[in-house]
Amino acid sequence: MSFSRAIKIAPSILAADFANFGAECRAVEDQGADWIHVDVMDGHFVTNITFGPATCAAIRPHVRGVMDVHLMIAPVDPYIEGFAKAGADIITAHMEAGPHVHRTLQAIRATGAKAGLALNPGTGLDGVENLLDLLDLVCVMTVNPGFGGQAFIDMSDKVRRLRALIGPRPIHIEIDGGMTPDTAPLMARAGADVLVAGSAVFKGGSVVDPTPYGTNIRAIRTAAEAATGTVV
């Protein structure tokens, strides 16, 4: 998985047809998705319950590109190996999920997966600097985690400060929550390069008629790239 700061669109399968995950993954990739984002929720760290390693393993053969697994669970460490074995390319844990995040990131890296760190809207950047050498991705939440379809919370200032903190390091800045053609430019301009979108990608389409997926993906990408003034 080579590093690039080009805008990447990562549809969240939380908004897909649960009965057709394999076909949905193939459809959004065919329509231009760069990554597939899997939101894992445990009913403890967040109130919703979604997927486990078995679901990731089941969809892995249908994902040609990057499987980006976002663990909204606590504790995290006992489940890292399971998600890595299920085929996760990136495993992201929350800063707020446990007291030993440095150890968690080490454990993710030890499996061969890329390591991500997610920050809730109410979490600042204190402590992130000490973790940069273990990070491949920082996920800035622009909604409170737990459910799809929430209203966007503008984290532009946090993203700008994070981008400056990262400097030239090959670390992605991912945005998760409320991404649309209207909100994506704010985040791209601030320095984000991975945009997670659920309902904004899957609305209006289906595995039978996936064309709207492509229209939606292009709209988000075009708006984000226009905001940066360049296409990397």
Side-chain angles (χ1 to χ4, degrees):
M1 194 175 91
S2 60
F3 182 82
S4 167
R5 295 201 190 280
I7 295 296
K8 290 163 284 296
I9 309 300
S12 168
I13 64 167
L14 189 62
D17 179 355
F18 280 27
N20 287 288
F21 274 151
E24 290 276 51
C25 291
R26 293 194 303 271
V28 290
E29 284 193 325
D30 288 343
Q31 292 294 323
D34 300 289
W35 295 5
I36 298 295
H37 188 82
V38 184
D39 286 309
V40 176
M41 306 181 192
D42 64 354
H44 174 68
F45 181 69
V46 295
T47 54
N48 200 7
I49 297 174
T50 57
F51 324 115
T55 302
C56 291
I59 66 173
R60 178 72 260 191
H62 303 277
V63 177
R64 296 189 300 271
V66 172
M67 181 188 287
D68 174 32
V69 177
H70 177 190
L71 300 183
M72 287 170 269
I73 66 174
V76 178
D77 294 10
Y79 303 97
I80 290 170
E81 185 175 356
F83 283 102
K85 287 182 176 178
D89 295 295
I90 303 168
I91 299 175
T92 296
H94 269 258
M95 173 76 90
E96 310 84 4
H100 306 298
V101 67
H102 189 281
R103 180 185 298 161
T104 297
L105 297 173
Q106 286 180 313
I108 293 171
R109 282 277 186 89
T111 69
K114 301 290 187 182
L117 179 70
L119 306 173
N120 283 342
T123 300
L125 299 179
D126 294 346
V128 174
E129 185 172 9
N130 292 329
L131 301 171
L132 289 174
D133 289 340
L134 286 172
L135 289 174
D136 300 288
L137 177 147
V138 179
C139 175
V140 176
M141 298 297 296
T142 45
V143 298
N144 287 295
F147 294 92
Q150 297 182 64
F152 171 76
I153 303 169
D154 190 356
M155 291 283 130
S156 295
D157 182 61
K158 182 192 281 191
V159 174
R160 279 192 292 270
R161 288 184 288 115
L162 176 62
R163 184 68 191 84
L165 191 64
I166 289 171
R169 297 175 180 86
I171 300 173
H172 297 291
I173 298 178
E174 178 176 78
I175 306 299
D176 190 354
M179 283 293 92
T180 69
D182 294 323
T183 58
L186 297 172
M187 299 296 95
R189 193 178 298 118
D193 63 283
V194 183
L195 307 177
V196 176
S199 54
V201 166
F202 286 98
K203 67 180 181 182
S206 68
V207 294
V208 176
D209 179 20
T211 305
Y213 298 166
T215 301
N216 297 335
I217 289 168
R218 286 190 296 276
I220 297 169
R221 190 191 309 278
T222 299
E225 289 179 343
T228 65
T230 59
V231 178
V232 180

